[in-house]
Every structure is written in C-alpha cells, then in structure tokens.
Amino acid sequence: MNTTTVCFRALICVAVLAFSTAVGAKELKLGLIVPGDHAWSQAAKEMGEELEQRTDGRYSVTLFPAGQLGSEAQMLQQMQTGALDMSFMTVAQVVNRVPEFGALFAPYLVDNEKQADQLLRGPAAQGLLEKLPVKTGTVGLGYGVAGMRMMLNAFPSDNVGALDGRKIRITPFPPVQDFYRLLGAVSTPMPLTDVYDALANGQVDGVDADLELVWKLRLYERAKTLLLSGHMMFPVVGLVSGRTWAGMSEPDREVLRELTRKHLGELAAYYMAFGEKTRADIESEGVNVVEAGPDYFGDKLDQWEEIWTKKAPVLSELRKEADAL
Ligand code: BEZ
C-alpha cells in the first residue's frame, strides 16, 4: 500500500467516525406546560446546556415549553410510548396517576420553599419516585418547587367564610379539589392563560396560584385581595421516558439524574429570594395583602388530613420528616 492510499483510508476513517458521532448523538425532547420565561423552563434550559457539555455532545436537550406538545396528561402518555423523552411536570399531574403523591400537597406540611425542597430530598418523597416506572412508564429523576400556593381573590377575604360559594380557579387534581370543597368553594379548572379574562368577566372570583403567576400573568390587575396563605407546596418532578432511559448507558443516566436534580434543586433558592420582592411589587399595584396561617382555615385542615391519611398513608411519614426540619 502506498502513502497516498494510507492517507486516503485514514481520511475515510475520520469521516466515518465523525459521521457516526453525529448519528449517535441524541436530542432529548423535553416538554413543559409553563411558558419559556418561567423558572422551570430556565432550569430545563440550563440542565440541557450542562448535559451537552458533560456528555461531549452525545446528548442535547430541545425544549418545548408553553404546552406546545399538549397538556401534561398528553405528555405523560407521549413519554410512555417514547414519543417524548422528558418533561419537567407538575406533581399535580402525577397524582392523577399515582394518588400517593397527593400527600405532598398536605396543607401546611412545610412553611416555605426551602423546607419544601428539604422534604422532597428526604426518604418519604424519594420513595414515591420508585412507584413511577410501573405506574407511568417513566423514571422520576428528582424534584423541584414552585412558589408556595396563595389565593388572589376579587372579594374581601378576611375570614374563611368569605370563600363559601366562591368560584376559585384551581389546578384540577384530588388534593386541591378536596381542599376547596371543604372550604365550600366551587373549584373551577381552567388553563392558566385563561385566568386573566375569567377574573375580569366574573367567570371565577379567585385563583389558587403562587406569587410568580400572579405577577407574570398580571392577575393583580383583575383581583385586589392577595390571601398570603402559603397553604401548600407545589412541586415539579423531572421525568424521563422509560424507553429513553433503557437506551442510555449507566454513566449517562447518572449524569442526567445528577444534572436534573441540581437544576431543579436550585429552584427553591430562586423562589425564596423572589417571594419578598414580588409580594412588594404586587402590593405596590394597590393589592390588599391579607396574611393567613393554619388558624385561618380552622377545622377544615383536620378534615383534609383525615381524608388524605387514608388515601396516601405516606403522609404520616412526611409529617414526621417535616416536623424534624
Ligand atoms: C398551576 O397550574 O397553577 C401551575 C402550573 C405550573 C407551574 C406552576 C403552577
């Protein structure tokens, strides 16, 4: 073989290798229902960038925010078939498939987002993730948080009786439906994007939300009482399709798990810092802030606890862990 032939063959080898690297590279599609400027989307974007670096380009992440791929229920189905690789999804949606997760929405389980994050890293919450492969065909990589839940109401809300008969927009899933039923309210499910108009035209009288949503969706323009209750945490879970997971090597799985946990785990600090300022911003728009703790809700909380201790026995373990925080 002469020198020209050797060089030519070497060139072909390099070209084949380069081509096979590109072919082997995997783009992970990640869906979210929140808009692109929401903190969960930012966490997903940063996770994807770091994943690409850490795997030398073998994996990248393409985001589909704002429900571009459908509702969370639809995305869960897509992950089951392998049509979608990943999602940062509300745990609310997961409760519809695995009711045990409802225990995470126990009223006043934690005081703030930092405690929520600590509890979600504990054995009871982590144990719940193990139920996901069988029940949903997905693997739960880790949790993050949104802001603690509040209510923004278009009516004076100085006592719990004020909620009786009021139409409140909720994210529809059983723990929250039970909560508002016990309060005598009429829970009204609707996409977040419709809430502004619904408050304006009286279709709803209030909304169960966090400060980020009240601020970014400008809901404070349509309802002037912020019930600063912080009554529940609102976690997000990083899910990967079981089929995608099966195609990954063990070291790549570990990197994906580590980075998902890292970036979702940073959300608590963001919401802790963001909360004070947003509350002040909302107040400066002429919104009346009513501070409310567990006493505001009276015996309704015990009634909720009784129902959910039966539906989700893990609640007792979560309460013990929360008490120790
Ligand atoms: C909600 O339905 O209220 C919600 C959805 C995603 C992120 C935060 C809140």
Side-chain angles (χ1 to χ4, degrees), residues 80-109:
Q80 215 158 4
T81 64
L84 175 65
D85 298 298
M86 290 188 76
S87 177
F88 283 4
M89 182 169 284
T90 66
V91 172
Q93 182 56 45
V94 176
V95 178
N96 289 326
R97 292 281 197 98
V98 194
E100 281 281 294
F101 278 84
L104 295 172
F105 296 88
Y108 297 103
L109 183 57

Side-chain angles (χ1 to χ4, degrees), residues 244-265:
T244 305
W245 192 247
M248 295 179 78
S249 69
E250 197 51 50
D252 286 340
R253 287 177 180 176
E254 268 324 297
V255 176
L256 184 62
R257 192 193 300 276
E258 177 201 322
L259 296 180
T260 301
R261 292 172 78 97
K262 173 182 164 188
H263 290 281
L264 286 179

Side-chain angles (χ1 to χ4, degrees), residues 33-34 38 40 90 146 149 169 171 192 208-210 213 234:
I33 52 156
V34 292
H38 190 274
W40 294 2
T90 66
R149 296 307 265 195
R169 180 271 166 184
T171 311
L192 281 168
D208 180 282
D210 65 14
L213 297 171
F234 201 80

Side-chain angles (χ1 to χ4, degrees), residues 91-92 94-95 99-110 116 119-121 124-126 128-129 143 148 173 175 231-237 304 308 312 314-315 318:
V91 172
V94 176
V95 178
E100 281 281 294
F101 278 84
L104 295 172
F105 296 88
Y108 297 103
L109 183 57
V110 292
L119 189 63
L120 291 166
R121 292 171 195 267
Q126 292 295 313
L128 286 171
L129 294 178
Y143 299 100
M148 298 296 290
F173 66 113
H231 52 273
M232 284 176 194
M233 64 158 102
F234 201 80
V236 49
V237 60
W304 189 98
W308 276 89
V314 68
L315 178 53
L318 282 167

Side-chain angles (χ1 to χ4, degrees), residues 15-37:
V16 166
L17 264 178
F19 179 71
S20 55
T21 305
V23 167
K26 166 90 177 141
E27 179 205 21
L28 299 176
K29 294 194 211 69
L30 189 155
L32 305 110
I33 52 156
V34 292
D37 67 350

